[in-house]
């Protein structure tokens, strides 16, 4: 009874603190717009309800400042449903004389922009005819398992510095049904690059095949467990799927006896390394934090060919070495594949298609993504950057068209430098915490791009066919049928002008929608 009363009290407190629908506290930055959250206020969206079976709802985010803006419309209506961009909705902006001047200038040069936009230049399409997007419910593909991000040492360290109510806002905005409904987490076994220093279990004694010092969880993992338990309470969820991976064993197991550099696992420690993983699984399970899946390591080529520019923890693996580590074929134990996005611009998705053809009926996840890791990119956050968000949108759309079952981002949050990181490998993240005052955090455009997928696609949603007219170069689309039989259509306009799109569903009929420049839309209907 006491436990039930405690859970009820937590529920009441959480319900009172968080409103169901609240709008973004929009801040203009050097690179665009972010949504500011404090312990007292953050934006949330309860899933909109359809008025009837003939209606649809569009949830929109845009470069100009829309964040989960809701518009409704009807099928088989002769009119065009126009989604107004942020400047058209904000009365204060519309009253500004500078904006009126800008609007006039844009209107008088509209024909020029339409002519040279990549979606129109040298194409025969009539600029007034909509781009066609067809949704075919009868043609089905893979099912979705989930979405999430990484709960690294850096994430845990920053969270611990925040007051409890601000922590709760972060937990809720990611995992609650009024947030973006993540259902997965990625943890490192030992340390990773986003920690305060490299570390592993059983660093001492060295050359200890029995792992006699690996009998309990490290304090850093115990802190993560406490934080995840609080996360589950605040988000009102019972279960969360945790994926785990080891960056490196203790150096004494490796051929180079170091955290990083060209390395492989010493032959005499193959079984020890397997036992290392088993001990972690057992200790986490004893803390009521079961691990749903493990991968065979993080970015195994970092210790083979990437060591000259990767200076954080790593362990080199090749397919042959992995095959030799067991007397059985590895494929007998393989439930799925985990890939990272960092070289997608070099290696196309056809490699994924070939792999799935060779080993079919396996799950496929993206388990890490971030921007700012390349030498030519800003190292660290670009607050408000829509161009970085568009990289995510294109990657998600491409991946789901190539049969990915889920998508996990990298760090759930970082500080305003893009760390902490012991090798200064600073990158961007969907949430950036203001570590000057530790009183607020900023939700990046990347956060909302991810949410346009994760919030509306529960586990077991099934992808269905979409087809776009050949001249719709700047329009991308993907569609799913959810377990509740609702259809989710995600549209992405990467063009610098608004566009008319005619959506035709094989069962429901058609509607025409005008979408703003540089915008993404999640459309829900039955």
């Amino acid at each position: 009874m006491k436990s039930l009363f405690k859970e009820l009290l937590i529920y009441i407190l959480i319900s009172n603190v968080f409103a169901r629908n609240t709008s973004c506290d929009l801040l203009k930055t050097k690179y665009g717009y972010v949504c500011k959250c404090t312990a007292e206020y953050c934006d949330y969206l309860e899933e909109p309800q359809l008025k009837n079976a003939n209606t649809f709802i569009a949830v929109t985010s845009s470069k100009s400042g829309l964040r989960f803006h809701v518009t409704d419309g009807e099928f088989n209506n002769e009119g065009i449903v126009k989604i107004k961009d942020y400047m058209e909705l904000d009365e204060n902006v519309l009253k500004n004389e500078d904006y009126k001047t800008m609007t006039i200038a844009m209107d008088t040069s509209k024909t020029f922009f339409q002519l040279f936009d990549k979606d129109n230049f040298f194409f025969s399409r009539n600029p007034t005819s909509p781009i066609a997007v067809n949704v075919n419910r009868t043609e089905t593909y893979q099912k979705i398992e989930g979405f999430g991000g990484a709960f690294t040492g850096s994430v845990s360290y920053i969270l611990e510095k925040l007051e409890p109510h601000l922590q709760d806002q972060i937990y809720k905005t990611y995992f609650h049904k009024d947030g973006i409904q993540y259902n997965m987490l990625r943890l490192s076994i030992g340390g990773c690059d986003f920690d305060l220093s490299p570390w592993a279990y059983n660093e001492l004694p060295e050359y200890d095949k029995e792992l006699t010092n690996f009998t309990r969880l490290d304090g850093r993992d115990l802190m993560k467990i406490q934080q995840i338990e609080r996360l589950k309470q605040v988000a009102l969820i019972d279960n969360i799927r945790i994926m785990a991976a080891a960056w490196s064993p203790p150096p004494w197991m490796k051929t180079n006896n170091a955290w990083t550099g060209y390395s492989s696992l010493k032959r005499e420690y193959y079984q020890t390394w397997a036992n290392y993983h088993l001990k972690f699984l057992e200790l986490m399970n004893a803390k009521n934090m079961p691990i749903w899946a493990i991968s065979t390591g993080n970015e195994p080529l970092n210790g083979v060919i990437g060591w000259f520019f990767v200076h954080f923890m790593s362990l080199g693996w090749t397919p042959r070495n992995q095959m030799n580590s067991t007397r059985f074929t590895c494929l007998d134990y393989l439930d799925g594949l985990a890939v990272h996005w960092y070289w997608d611009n070099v290696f196309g998705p056809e490699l994924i298609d070939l792999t799935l053809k060779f080993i079919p009926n396996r799950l496929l996840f993206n388990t890490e993504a971030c921007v700012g890791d390349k030498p030519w990119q800003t190292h660290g956050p670009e607050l408000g950057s829509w161009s970085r968000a568009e990289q995510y949108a294109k990657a998600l759309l491409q991946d789901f068209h190539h049969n990915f079952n889920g998508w996990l981002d990298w760090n759930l949050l970082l500080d305003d430098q893009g760390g902490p990181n012991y090798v200064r490998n600073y990158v961007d993240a969907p949430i950036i915490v203001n570590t000057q005052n530790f009183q607020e955090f900023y939700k990046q455009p990347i956060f909302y791009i991810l949410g346009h997928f994760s919030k509306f696609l529960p586990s077991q949603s099934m992808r269905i066919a979409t087809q776009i007219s050949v001249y719709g170069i700047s329009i991308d689309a993907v569609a799913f049928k959810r377990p509740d039989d609702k259809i989710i259509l995600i549209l992405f306009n990467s063009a610098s002008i608004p566009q008319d799109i005619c959506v035709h569903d094989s069962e429901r009929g058609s509607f025409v929608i005008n979408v703003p420049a540089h915008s993404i839309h999640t459309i829900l209907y039955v």
Side-chain angles (χ1 to χ4, degrees), residues 409-425:
D409 192 33
W410 192 204
N411 296 277
L412 291 171
L413 57 94
L414 289 172
D415 64 22
D416 34 28
Q417 192 176 19
N421 184 289
Y422 60 84
V423 291
R424 302 177 66 83
N425 181 33

Side-chain angles (χ1 to χ4, degrees), residues 3 76 96 128 145 241-242 255 257 262 312 344 372 417 432 436 444-445 479 520 524:
S3 174
N76 307 313
N96 187 297
T128 62
E145 293 291 336
R241 288 179 168 181
I242 298 176
T255 53
N257 199 37
Y262 183 80
F312 51 81
D344 281 6
Q417 192 176 19
I432 300 299
Q436 305 303 310
Q444 297 263 54
I520 188 168
L524 183 150

Side-chain angles (χ1 to χ4, degrees), residues 245-260:
W247 268 241
S248 172
W252 55 264
M253 288 193 199
K254 299 167 65 176
T255 53
N256 68 347
N257 199 37
W259 288 116
T260 190

Side-chain angles (χ1 to χ4, degrees), residues 24-65:
C24 163
D25 183 3
L26 197 68
L27 293 183
K28 181 136 181 41
T29 68
K30 174 183 176 181
Y31 296 101
Y33 297 95
V34 296
C35 296
K36 184 180 80 172
C37 293
T38 65
E40 293 75 31
Y41 186 88
C42 198
D43 55 297
Y44 294 99
L45 176 67
E46 183 181 8
E47 182 172 300
Q49 299 301 306
L50 295 167
K51 294 178 181 178
N52 57 61
N54 201 45
T55 60
F56 67 87
I57 290 170
V59 179
T60 299
S61 298
S62 72
K63 180 179 181 179
S64 293

Side-chain angles (χ1 to χ4, degrees), residues 272-285:
T272 306
W273 187 224
N275 293 341
Y276 183 99
H277 284 75
L278 288 173
K279 280 181 174 285
F280 181 78
L281 297 178
E282 291 166 355
L283 290 170
M284 289 293 284
N285 195 58

